[in-house]
């Protein structure tokens, strides 16, 4: 999966798979999280976020749902740091697809994950303080609302997912 | 589920997500609850209860007390009196009637869950749409 060049001194890599009904939202989330993004012509997106010279996060937006069945979850699922499922919070069809997707993913992989609902399409009457820390669905799965119009929100989603990872440290 | 099997099942994350979506939009969960079996309602109630506590603490902070929730919920004793049930109170409190009378258990938990949703809407300052 390592399509991005790995520098010799960058030995630690965390891989995060990004899925969801909307390819454009996958792209937007990865773009907000990474300083380096590659868009391919088969609707997949690769992004790299350098934390330090030694530690990097790679994001893989795997495109349309037809590709999910062919995706090597059994191989990638064991070594990935986590997954992010992104969808439009106001789109009922996308919500139903997300429900199915999260049920499938939690059966296929034991990795940590976060479901990210984008609220940029409409005014949200709930104060952001209510949801900025996300909601835990299990010890390895969280949910958070994200305003894709604001870049800092994406980092918040990432932070919540990493918190669940850290909470599982021995 | 048959008698003798474990009475607690894990709630699918897709269902948890649906319950959460209803909470944050002030929607009634009646439709999804009606479609559930009684044994699925036990973890659903647990999930909604936890989220009510979580939201209460986040929104009301130090002014939040768990007793605020209890005050608004019907006790098992009240529920038993209303329906004229002669079974011991402990059975109702422990949801022990799951196999003997699943419909009764379902009605009790549905009522409690709807009450919790009303509270959540109040905490969030949004209209609850029954």
């Amino acid at each position: 999966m390592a399509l991005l060049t790995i520098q010799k001194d960058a030995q630690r890599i965390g891989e995060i798979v990004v899925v969801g009904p909307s390819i454009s939202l996958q792209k937007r989330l990865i773009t907000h999280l990474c300083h380096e993004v590659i868009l391919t012509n088969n609707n997949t997106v690769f992004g790299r976020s350098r934390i330090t010279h030694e530690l990097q996060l790679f994001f893989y937006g795997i495109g349309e749902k037809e590709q999910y069945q062919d995706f090597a979850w059994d191989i990638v699922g064991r070594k990935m740091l986590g997954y992010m499922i992104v969808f439009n919070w106001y789109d009922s069809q996308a919500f139903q697809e997300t429900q199915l997707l999260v049920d499938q993913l939690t059966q296929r992989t034991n990795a940590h994950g976060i479901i990210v609902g984008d609220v940029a399409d409409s005014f949200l009457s709930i104060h952001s303080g209510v949801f900025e820390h996300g909601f835990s669905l299990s010890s390895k799965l969280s949910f958070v609302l994200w305003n894709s119009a604001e870049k800092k929100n994406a980092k918040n989603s990432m932070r919540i997912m990493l918190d669940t990872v850290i909470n599982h440290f021995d | 589920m048959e008698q003798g099997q474990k009475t607690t099942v894990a709630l699918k994350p897709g269902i948890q997500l649906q319950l959460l979506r209803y909470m944050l939009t002030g929607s009634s969960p009646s439709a999804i609850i009606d479609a559930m079996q009684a044994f699925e309602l036990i973890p659903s109630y647990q999930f909604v209860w936890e989220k009510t506590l979580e939201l209460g603490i986040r929104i009301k902070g130090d002014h939040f007390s768990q007793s605020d929730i209890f005050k608004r919920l019907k006790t098992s004793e009240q529920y038993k009196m209303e329906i004229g049930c002669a079974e011991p109170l402990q059975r109702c409190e422990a949801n022990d009637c799951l196999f003997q009378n699943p419909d009764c258990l379902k009605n009790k938990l549905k009522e409690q869950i709807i009450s919790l949703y009303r509270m959540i809407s109040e905490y969030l300052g949004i209209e609850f749409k029954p």
Side-chain angles (χ1 to χ4, degrees), chain A residues 87-92 95 98-99 102-103 106-107 115 125-126 129-138 141 143 145, chain B residues 11-26 32 47 50-51 54-55 58-59 123-127:
Chain A
F87 74 103
N88 182 339
W89 174 250
Y90 300 107
D91 182 338
S92 300
F95 181 76
T98 302
Q99 279 185 283
V102 68
D103 286 342
T106 48
Q107 283 180 347
I115 306 163
S125 53
I126 305 168
V130 174
F131 56 81
E132 67 185 1
H133 299 295
F135 296 95
S136 165
L137 300 182
S138 72
L141 184 67
F143 165 77
L145 293 173
Chain B
L11 208 54
K12 280 186 175 180
I15 299 289
Q16 291 178 317
L17 192 61
Q18 179 80 74
L19 289 169
L20 203 51
R21 192 170 196 243
Y22 286 143
M23 279 175 210
L24 298 176
T25 55
I32 190 171
F47 178 75
E50 283 168 12
K51 293 305 155 208
E54 214 172 305
L55 285 166
R58 281 186 197 186
I59 295 163
Y123 292 160
L124 293 172
I126 57 176
E127 186 193 352

Side-chain angles (χ1 to χ4, degrees), chain B residues 28-30 33-34 41 44-45 48-49 52 69 72-83 92 95 102-119 128:
Chain B
S28 168
S30 288
I33 290 174
D34 290 342
L41 268 186
S44 299
Y45 173 72
V48 175
W49 169 259
T52 310
I69 301 180
R72 302 271 300 271
L73 291 179
K74 199 176 278 179
T75 63
S76 295
E77 199 169 4
Q78 284 171 320
Y79 179 72
K80 267 169 53 61
M81 273 176 65
E82 268 182 26
I83 60 162
C92 190
N95 297 325
D103 288 342
C104 180
L105 176 65
K106 200 172 162 176
N107 284 338
K108 181 185 83 168
L109 292 180
K110 180 179 175 181
E111 213 173 293
Q112 302 286 55
I113 290 173
I114 302 283
S115 297
L116 291 171
Y117 268 73
R118 282 185 195 280
M119 278 183 244
F128 179 69

Side-chain angles (χ1 to χ4, degrees), chain A residues 14-137:
Chain A
E15 293 180 311
I16 293 162
V17 174
V18 179
V19 295
S22 159
I23 295 162
S24 64
L25 271 183
Q26 290 178 32
K27 284 179 185 170
R28 200 178 304 173
L29 182 63
I30 292 174
T31 306
H32 281 194
L33 288 166
C34 300
H35 66 277
E36 189 181 348
V37 177
I38 298 170
L39 308 176
T40 71
N41 53 10
N42 67 343
N43 281 329
T44 51
V45 193
F46 301 96
R48 173 158 66 181
S49 179
R50 181 175 287 125
I51 312 293
T52 66
H53 282 298
E54 290 78 31
L55 177 62
Q56 298 184 57
L57 293 178
F58 281 16
F59 292 82
Y60 304 95
I62 59 172
E64 291 163 2
K65 64 179 177 185
E66 287 72 24
Q67 292 171 248
Y68 300 167
Q69 298 303 323
D70 298 332
F71 192 73
W73 292 109
D74 51 339
I75 299 166
V76 181
R78 280 201 294 265
K79 68 184 185 104
M80 70 181 175
L81 184 63
Y83 60 87
M84 302 178 93
I85 305 176
V86 60
F87 74 103
N88 182 339
W89 174 250
Y90 300 107
D91 182 338
S92 300
Q93 177 68 32
F95 181 76
Q96 285 176 11
E97 284 181 33
T98 302
Q99 279 185 283
L100 289 174
L101 191 54
V102 68
D103 286 342
Q104 286 171 1
L105 273 181
T106 48
Q107 283 180 347
R108 283 175 178 229
T109 171
N110 196 30
H112 294 259
I114 187 159
I115 306 163
V116 184
D118 177 29
V119 292
D121 268 6
S122 183
F123 172 74
L124 193 69
S125 53
I126 305 168
H127 188 266
S128 63
V130 174
F131 56 81
E132 67 185 1
H133 299 295
F135 296 95
S136 165
L137 300 182

